Amino acid sequence: NAGVTQTPKFRVLKTGQSMTLLCAQDMNHEYMYWYRQDPGMGLRLIHYSVGEGTTAKGEVPDGYNVSRLKKQNFLLGLESAAPSQTSVYFCASSYGTGGYNSPLHFGNGTRLTVT
Amino acid sequence: GQQVMQIPQYQHVQEGEDFTTYCNSSTTLSNIQWYKQRPGGHPVFLIQLVKSGEVKKQKRLTFQFGEAKKNSSLHITATQTTDVGTYFCAGLAGYALNFGKGTSLLVTP
């Protein structure tokens, strides 16, 4: 099993450009999450989904949009990139709500730089 | 909202020394999870604690959950260079995990 796959691995954008980060999981997990990781800030939740067709805002949702059209995929979009969105983005999935007997499985991350 | 705090932020030890990181939540937790992230890698699940006062061991790692279920600790006995990385605790906030900022451990041979 591949687990959680993120594409691309690296990307450089100019301010104002848009892009979509792709996340795919082959574990039939219901829950999927997008986190961003910045030095000294830990992992901060951007958006999450509790099932196909659902999305919800996390701690830092501004400037991002998400979609979960298929259970196995969770897309993160940046409509107009800003330098403050330079970060490492991690997608994760879990069988149930990420709290009880349901650890998160993370992808390898996408390193995004906005100039 | 719930806040999860970890101390210290960084720890540098000589190989063979012990290491402890502490996690404190502003609210009572239903459970707590610990993850390890190697440099350049992604977080990997280590363990989950559920019961008040629970203690679990994984080889040289000892995890504790406080009696009030608001704090937890991870203790590593006799560190090795393979222990290098950032250790995160995380507690459930709604439907998702809320992570602490992590403790970065550096082990010098």
Side-chain angles (χ1 to χ4, degrees), chain A residues 31 33 35 37 40-43 45 48 50 59 90 97-104 106-108, chain B residues 9-10 30-31 33 35 37 41-45 48 50 88 92 94-101:
Chain A
Y31 291 71
Y33 316 84
Y35 288 89
Q37 185 173 35
M41 297 298 293
L43 293 154
L45 183 66
Y48 65 97
V50 301
E59 179 187 357
F90 285 103
T97 182
Y100 191 77
N101 288 333
S102 187
L104 269 60
F106 283 85
N108 289 331
Chain B
Q9 187 175 3
Y10 301 99
S30 57
N31 64 84
Q33 296 183 9
Y35 291 76
Q37 183 178 24
H42 59 276
V44 175
F45 174 77
Q48 175 177 265
V50 177
F88 294 97
L92 184 63
Y95 291 99
L97 282 179
N98 186 18
F99 284 80
K101 293 183 179 180

